[in-house]
Amino acid sequence: MRRYLLTLLLCLPLMLAAQQPDSLKLTIPEVTVKARKPLMLYRPTGNVAVDIEQLKLTPMLAGEKDIFKFLQLLPGVSAGKDGMAGLLVRGGAGDQTQILYDDVPIYNYAHAFGLLSIFSGEAVQSAEVAKGYISPAYGSRLSGLTQIRTRDGDREHHRQSLTVGTMSLAGTVDGPIVRNKGSYLLSARYFFPEAGLAMLRLPTRYGFYDVSGKLSYDLHPDHTVTAGVYSGDDHVYNFDEGASNGFGWGNTAGSLRLESRWSDKLTSTAVLFYSYLNNRQKSKFKDDDTQINDKTNFKTHEWGARLNLDQVITESYSLSYGASFSAQRFFPLTTRSVTDGTVNERSYPTQKLMSTAIYLNNRLNIGSWRADIGVRGAVYDNGRHTAMSLEPRAQLSRYFGQDNALWFSATMNSQPLVLFNRYYYSMPIDFWAPFRDNKLQRAWQLSIGGRTRLHEHLMLSIESYYKQMRNLPLIYDSDDFLLERGGFVYGTGRAFGVETMLQWQTERLTLTASYTYTNSRRRSDGVTYPFEYDIPHDFNIFAGYDVLKRSDRRHTLSLNVAWRTGLPYRLTNEAYPDTDGKPVIGISTWPTMRMRNYFRTDIGYCMERQKRNGVRTWQLSVVNVTNHKNPVSIYPHKGAYKAMVMIPIMPSVSYTRTFGGR
Amino acid sequence: MSRHIALLALMVVLFSCNVDYKMKHDGVESRAVVNALLSPQEDFTVKLFWSGVYSGDSTRFRPVANARIRLTEDGDKVLDLAASPDGTTPTAFRPTAGRSYRLEVDIPGYGRLSASTEVPAAPSVDIRSPKKNERYSHFELSRIETDPNTTGLWITGKSKVVWHHSDKYGFIGDTLSYKVDSYHTASQFVDQVNAAGDVYDAQDKGASVSFSDFLHITQENFAIVLPLRFSSYGGLNRYNEHKFTLTFTAASKPYDLYKRSLYKQRNNSGSLASGNPFIEQVTVYSNIDNGLGIFAGYNTYKTPEL
């Protein structure tokens, strides 16, 4: 801020001189002053956005700019297990957070078995998480909403960038289609160690890729159309002469978006979208006598449309209203076998889910008060049952100047589908299923929060919440659940917590410290127990310091320290004999212990240099620099116990070179 | 094996590791455990023990010294006897296929344990061994017939090696029997619970997917899985021939759920879990009210030597 003021003061005499016709005309070079932004920004709605620009400055896992790892720094948001790309919000499960990528729902957002999110940092423009008040425009999840938007291509200059990380090779190109009228963006990423496995002719391969693209064009100064597409895939396979097997999963998503400004008081956004998740397993064999080709698929398709209108009625009153519709088809376990030309095929019954919703939100701005009062009405049909949900949502905010505010919100949400894992070759694959027995998952939440500037550089925010959930399908046998043979019970849940965050912000230093207290419980079969990812105490510190800051060079040192209570775990030291007298471990259906407490320190050093035709960035990271052994799973072994550690000390390096620019 | 190869490729990238872990536990309150399987091929035996603290494969369990066992068949009492103090109570009773059974065990000071099951009819199958190459024997299953009480079919087997020429492993006339520990098939109508990608010798095996210990076919796939082609290690070569006796076990629902969950737990613990960060915490199925263990019926058919 001081820098801005200083610039203004310096420029003022020049600006005044420029207004005097007889004065000498001076040409001054353009001065760009970049001050650090806070890592996290509280929106007026209470949503939290992260500063994407700082993504490249944070320590990276395997050299990947992963937006989800960044979002996990938010208080009230956790990854679940160490290193995973989950976004668990306020005691909710992974499927209770809706992930929208340019308004398209994404059903599997992880590469590498959950370690990396599918959203390449190269293409992301913004990311925002709603933990408490969720706009009535969105629904169908109980706990949270994460909106990720890809950036538009540059409308003036063509630009290219290439990133080589420890795991992947990523490239992005963007630029104008018609100068200042339309743009394109294409970004792609590939797990390049797969090529190494291929060159070594190893019989086992693993790999992933993703491609995203965006076209944006102004049909008219007031009407902009945008088309976006994403496709990504993970695959594991073994092969030999005449024989192969493998499995994989992938998403494809596309959207067409029309943003219109009909008048100063009326704007609209219309979106058509499609999302597709494919899990598959294949095996092939061929010799002189026999030819076998077997394939099993699980597919989820979703088509949908959303229309939103924002209308300013008076200076202090505005409306948002609209409707959304989506049709989902779930194709569980379609197995097709071709043996010497004989086809055997078995498909489990297709399941469907039709979701229709209308909503209205009233926004009042009166003096320092702001109120959002809305309602969402949704109808869900799974082909056997039709369930309705009326979800009132409200938030009241009071501002005390620009930096101080208090807010209170009350929301109701419902969820018509559930995520579960099925294991192939001992690795989990995601499956989704619509609601059963005419029971939607339902939740209500109250939250109260505020933020204040304690000092010129110091902001404090505190938020607490209480949430209750019911009709939660608690799945204890994924196979039975998938085959509709039971395998689950309905349970309830509740969670409450307090989230605090301090942000110290100077020109060179960003320091964010957060503490979250959570108490999240589930109840089923008359037993109350901690939720699988219940973390009572969660401390997190993020610091970024510009060691060198010049107009053409910037070096930033970053540090992330996390300490939290260990996760609940389903393991006991009870054993009992099986039919042969060998010990069976008495694993209950709910957690009976906690893993030891979690601690991790990550360090990053980012060196950015302006080159003649672009920018060069080196990013060095060491994740878990203290090599703390944080377990992700524990299992009995020869009378004792072993733990699996996913993220020991992990150094990585990435190099990014951009060409062209703005 | 290739499951581990696949994981290895991933883990090399991710640097993951296994470490010793010390667990803190509250004391365990012992629960009564009943294990009793009903099969027309075997005398009925009831095993009664207390659960204990896990100390490895050699964990010893205390027998239930004082208990009363009752068994009813279609509602009629067929057994009423005192349990043996050493925990294992043998009887001469053999069940009849197609009937329902209920077991009740009264333990003074603890209470009553109970469970019910049915005993399915023995399966009827057509199976042949169309070819044996030097390293593998191939089988083709072309017919399965079971009764409605059968929810799963388990294929296990034994192999007998007969030497007709001496080599460093045996002399002419020697025989060696062992339990078959892996099967190979490309069929995805076989339960994939124990499947692993394995391209080693795939051309000889006739498949690139291996199944450890058994092949399990669920009821809904009995018809569509046919013809099921599979193979197992051991064929016909200049020194010896492997002859196979396969056992087809028709499982009642509790037997099916118990065996499958037990396999999954074993596969997610011990050395099999090493290197796998995606371990499932599997609760072994039990149908015993007020206790642990299993009371379940099954029926078997053994093939002649193939």
Side-chain angles (χ1 to χ4, degrees):
Chain A
M1 178 60 85
R2 280 190 303 185
R3 187 100 178 224
Y4 277 121
L5 290 173
L6 190 64
T7 310
L8 268 175
L9 284 172
L10 287 170
C11 293
L12 196 57
L14 299 174
M15 290 157 69
L16 290 171
Q19 288 175 15
Q20 294 170 9
D22 296 329
S23 65
L24 182 67
K25 283 196 173 179
L26 293 173
T27 306
I28 59 165
E30 188 181 334
V31 177
T32 307
V33 180
K34 283 187 180 175
R36 263 183 171 277
K37 293 177 193 167
L39 183 69
M40 295 162 196
L41 301 166
Y42 269 85
R43 301 283 189 217
T45 55
N47 295 357
V48 190
V50 292
D51 178 19
I52 294 294
E53 273 300 301
Q54 296 196 43
L55 177 59
K56 64 186 176 192
L57 308 178
T58 58
M60 296 176 187
L61 180 69
E64 293 295 315
K65 286 180 208 164
D66 192 333
I67 185 65
F68 272 37
K69 297 281 184 290
F70 207 41
L71 292 172
Q72 288 162 4
L73 298 176
L74 295 171
V77 179
S78 81
K81 290 180 178 176
D82 185 28
M84 289 292 165
L87 284 183
L88 282 70
V89 174
R90 290 186 170 171
D95 65 349
Q96 292 177 359
T97 303
Q98 183 162 43
I99 311 291
L100 293 178
Y101 186 64
D102 280 342
D103 276 322
V104 186
I106 298 293
Y107 288 93
N108 184 320
Y109 43 84
H111 283 310
F113 303 93
L115 285 168
L116 298 174
S117 81
I118 60 171
F119 309 114
S120 167
E122 302 289 328
V124 173
Q125 181 181 48
S126 67
E128 198 165 315
V129 178
K131 299 181 290 181
Y133 175 77
I134 297 173
S135 161
Y138 300 99
S140 77
R141 297 293 189 281
L142 291 194
S143 291
L145 169 70
T146 300
Q147 288 178 290
I148 293 168
R149 294 223 178 274
T150 53
R151 62 185 173 87
D152 288 343
D154 196 305
R155 291 195 162 201
E156 291 189 15
H157 305 286
H158 292 281
R159 207 183 79 127
Q160 305 84 37
S161 80
L162 181 72
T163 299
V164 184
T166 310
M167 283 176 88
S168 74
L169 185 67
T172 304
V173 290
D174 68 306
I177 304 170
V178 178
R179 194 170 288 266
N180 292 321
K181 208 165 181 195
S183 67
Y184 69 91
L185 180 137
L186 182 67
S187 183
R189 182 165 55 153
Y190 174 61
F191 178 81
F192 67 81
E194 185 186 19
L197 296 175
M199 281 189 280
L200 293 170
R201 295 181 179 277
L202 292 179
T204 298
R205 304 267 173 86
Y206 166 75
F208 70 75
Y209 74 85
D210 55 55
V211 182
S212 56
K214 194 172 185 180
L215 292 173
S216 175
Y217 191 79
D218 292 344
L219 300 171
H220 177 275
D222 292 330
H223 301 282
T224 302
V225 65
T226 308
V229 66
Y230 168 87
S231 182
D233 192 72
D234 284 59
H235 45 266
V236 181
Y237 58 95
N238 303 289
F239 66 95
D240 196 11
E241 187 189 349
S244 66
N245 68 75
F247 67 98
W249 66 97
N251 290 279
T252 300
S255 66
L256 191 65
R257 181 186 176 94
L258 177 65
E259 287 180 270
S260 301
R261 179 187 166 88
W262 302 101
S263 70
D264 287 347
K265 294 189 172 179
L266 181 65
T267 58
S268 69
T269 306
V271 182
L272 292 171
F273 65 83
Y274 170 67
S275 185
Y276 169 58
L277 170 65
N278 179 17
N279 293 319
R280 61 191 183 277
Q281 185 182 8
K282 293 179 184 174
S283 57
K284 285 184 183 176
F285 177 77
K286 185 181 178 184
D287 66 7
D288 295 340
D289 306 325
T290 308
Q291 188 166 351
I292 300 170
N293 193 343
D294 276 26
K295 188 173 183 180
T296 301
N297 279 302
F298 173 90
K299 296 177 185 174
T300 301
H301 294 272
E302 181 174 12
W303 298 264
R306 186 177 290 126
L307 175 67
N308 181 71
L309 293 107
D310 290 303
Q311 189 171 1
V312 178
I313 308 293
T314 68
E315 199 171 294
S316 58
Y317 178 50
S318 60
L319 279 175
S320 281
Y321 49 92
S324 64
F325 169 80
S326 82
Q328 282 170 275
R329 286 281 186 280
F330 305 89
F331 297 91
L333 285 190
T334 300
T335 301
R336 180 182 165 86
S337 171
V338 184
T339 304
D340 296 339
T342 305
V343 178
N344 277 343
E345 186 165 342
R346 181 182 181 86
S347 297
Y348 287 89
T350 303
Q351 299 172 41
K352 68 173 187 176
L353 178 64
M354 309 280 270
S355 308
T356 309
I358 53 171
Y359 61 89
L360 170 72
N361 190 59
N362 301 272
R363 178 167 296 165
L364 291 153
N365 280 296
I366 301 170
S368 59
W369 291 88
R370 170 176 157 150
D372 284 278
I373 302 163
V375 65
R376 177 183 175 86
V379 179
Y380 301 106
D381 186 313
N382 65 4
R384 299 176 205 170
H385 302 104
T386 302
M388 285 184 277
S389 179
L390 194 65
E391 300 162 15
R393 300 177 194 177
Q395 177 163 273
L396 182 66
S397 309
R398 169 83 198 270
Y399 292 88
F400 306 91
Q402 195 178 353
D403 295 323
N404 306 304
L406 283 174
W407 60 83
F408 169 79
S409 70
T411 61
M412 289 181 76
N413 293 300
S414 63
Q415 181 165 328
L417 68 178
V418 65
L419 167 70
F420 61 100
N421 296 127
R422 195 161 188 263
Y423 281 67
Y424 282 123
Y425 303 173
S426 300
M427 291 182 221
I429 300 286
D430 285 355
F431 287 81
W432 290 84
F435 68 99
R436 293 183 183 168
D437 310 324
N438 204 15
K439 285 186 177 179
L440 292 175
Q441 297 181 57
R442 293 179 190 273
W444 58 264
Q445 183 182 186
L446 300 175
S447 60
I448 185 166
R451 65 171 191 271
T452 184
R453 184 172 290 281
L454 299 174
H455 176 270
E456 182 188 358
H457 301 298
L458 186 63
M459 286 287 292
L460 168 70
S461 59
I462 301 178
E463 193 164 9
S464 71
Y465 65 92
Y466 182 87
K467 178 162 60 181
Q468 280 214 336
M469 298 167 274
R470 62 192 167 92
N471 298 341
L472 303 178
L474 304 170
I475 297 162
Y476 57 83
D477 189 313
S478 57
D479 294 307
D480 279 353
F481 183 77
L482 183 68
L483 302 175
E484 297 195 53
R485 295 192 302 219
F488 75 106
V489 293
Y490 286 106
T492 58
R494 62 132 178 88
F496 60 89
V498 180
E499 298 155 1
T500 60
M501 184 167 67
L502 278 167
Q503 289 198 89
W504 178 270
Q505 199 68 42
T506 64
E507 194 180 313
R508 286 196 164 195
L509 176 68
T510 291
L511 180 65
T512 302
S514 65
Y515 166 70
T516 305
Y517 171 78
T518 308
N519 185 310
S520 180
R521 295 284 180 272
R522 296 287 186 270
R523 183 174 175 80
S524 63
D525 287 337
V527 180
T528 302
Y529 50 89
F531 171 53
E532 189 180 359
Y533 297 112
D534 174 55
I535 303 171
H537 304 289
D538 186 354
F539 293 93
N540 211 82
I541 295 173
F542 173 80
Y545 180 71
D546 291 330
V547 178
L548 176 68
K549 193 172 184 180
R550 296 207 305 240
S551 59
D552 63 335
R553 291 175 78 178
R554 187 181 183 191
H555 288 196
T556 305
L557 177 68
S558 57
L559 175 77
N560 185 29
V561 181
W563 182 95
R564 63 183 77 115
T565 318
L567 291 172
Y569 203 65
R570 295 196 296 130
L571 187 62
T572 68
N573 62 347
E574 182 184 26
Y576 64 92
D578 69 3
T579 51
D580 297 325
K582 293 178 183 168
V584 175
I585 306 298
I587 295 172
S588 61
T589 51
W590 54 83
T592 46
M593 59 162 285
R594 276 189 187 275
M595 295 181 179
R596 64 181 168 224
N597 295 335
Y598 175 95
F599 177 76
R600 203 173 102 183
T601 305
D602 306 335
I603 292 178
Y605 195 76
C606 179
M607 294 173 286
E608 198 175 75
R609 183 166 194 168
Q610 192 75 38
K611 307 289 275 190
R612 190 171 53 84
N613 57 351
V615 179
R616 180 267 284 150
T617 308
W618 281 100
Q619 166 75 41
L620 312 172
S621 300
V622 184
V623 170
N624 195 8
V625 70
T626 60
N627 198 24
H628 197 82
K629 303 287 192 295
N630 297 305
V632 292
S633 54
I634 304 168
Y635 57 93
H637 184 76
K638 293 182 179 173
Y641 296 89
K642 290 262 186 193
M644 181 72 200
V645 176
M646 185 86 92
I647 313 285
I649 184 169
M650 285 179 71
S652 69
V653 60
S654 81
Y655 173 81
T656 302
R657 182 73 168 90
T658 61
F659 300 94
R662 301 147 202 226
Chain B
M1 186 183 77
S2 288
R3 174 172 71 94
H4 298 290
I5 294 172
L7 280 170
L8 184 66
L10 188 61
M11 294 306 115
V12 164
V13 176
L14 301 175
F15 306 94
S16 58
C17 62
N18 293 78
V19 295
D20 292 331
Y21 193 87
K22 283 187 182 171
M23 289 238 298
K24 286 179 188 171
H25 275 301
D26 298 331
V28 171
E29 191 176 325
S30 288
R31 290 184 282 178
V33 184
V34 183
N35 284 309
L37 297 177
L38 275 170
S39 164
Q41 288 81 31
E42 290 176 19
D43 291 341
F44 181 56
T45 300
V46 180
K47 296 174 183 174
L48 274 172
F49 290 86
W50 296 104
S51 67
V53 174
Y54 171 70
S55 60
D57 288 345
S58 58
T59 305
R60 294 272 173 205
F61 300 102
R62 197 160 44 91
V64 175
N66 183 16
R68 190 86 199 162
I69 298 167
R70 273 184 300 278
L71 181 73
T72 58
E73 181 184 70
D74 287 343
D76 300 326
K77 192 184 288 182
V78 289
L79 282 177
D80 187 351
L81 68 166
S84 167
D86 68 2
T88 302
T89 308
T91 73
F93 177 78
R94 290 195 177 199
T96 306
R99 295 193 176 169
S100 299
Y101 295 87
R102 179 172 173 79
L103 178 71
E104 290 180 354
V105 178
D106 287 316
I107 302 173
Y110 182 88
R112 173 173 291 180
L113 294 84
S114 61
S116 300
T117 187
E118 285 162 338
V119 176
S124 171
V125 302
D126 284 345
I127 187 165
R128 65 191 185 99
S129 177
K131 70 174 179 183
K132 290 187 182 189
N133 57 36
E134 284 201 356
R135 293 162 64 82
Y136 294 90
S137 295
H138 290 252
F139 305 97
E140 183 174 300
L141 178 67
S142 54
R143 184 181 65 87
I144 299 172
E145 261 185 45
T146 59
D147 76 4
N149 291 327
T150 305
T151 58
L153 189 69
W154 296 72
I155 305 172
T156 53
K158 286 186 175 172
S159 175
K160 186 169 81 176
V161 194
V162 182
W163 271 264
H164 44 251
H165 280 97
S166 297
D167 65 4
K168 61 182 176 181
Y169 302 108
F171 296 103
I172 294 176
D174 281 357
T175 59
L176 174 70
S177 293
Y178 63 90
K179 178 178 164 284
V180 178
D181 62 3
S182 67
Y183 302 84
H184 317 285
T185 178
S187 174
Q188 293 195 10
F189 292 113
V190 172
D191 185 355
Q192 304 287 307
V193 67
N194 55 336
D198 183 4
V199 291
Y200 178 73
D201 268 355
Q203 279 292 310
D204 285 346
K205 289 173 186 167
S208 62
V209 184
S210 294
F211 295 75
S212 53
D213 299 325
F214 56 84
L215 292 173
H216 177 226
I217 305 161
T218 52
Q219 186 183 39
E220 59 271 17
N221 287 336
F222 284 172
I224 205 162
V225 75
L226 301 174
L228 174 64
R229 292 175 184 170
F230 62 97
S231 68
S232 195
Y233 178 76
L236 173 63
N237 56 47
R238 57 180 297 208
Y239 299 107
N240 55 42
E241 181 180 3
H242 290 244
K243 294 182 176 178
F244 289 82
T245 304
L246 299 175
T247 301
F248 290 78
T249 302
S252 61
K253 188 172 184 181
Y255 183 89
D256 213 38
L257 293 171
Y258 174 75
K259 288 298 244 188
R260 195 172 187 278
S261 60
L262 185 64
Y263 172 80
K264 283 174 80 174
Q265 187 183 96
R266 296 265 152 80
N267 201 37
N268 285 276
S269 60
S271 55
L272 290 170
S274 179
N276 184 359
F278 308 108
I279 297 164
E280 264 188 296
Q281 292 306 105
V282 180
T283 306
V284 173
Y285 174 81
S286 172
N287 64 343
I288 307 293
D289 284 340
N290 193 31
L292 295 165
I294 189 70
F295 173 61
Y298 68 94
N299 211 332
T300 59
Y301 162 73
K302 273 187 188 173
T303 66
E305 277 187 350
L306 296 169

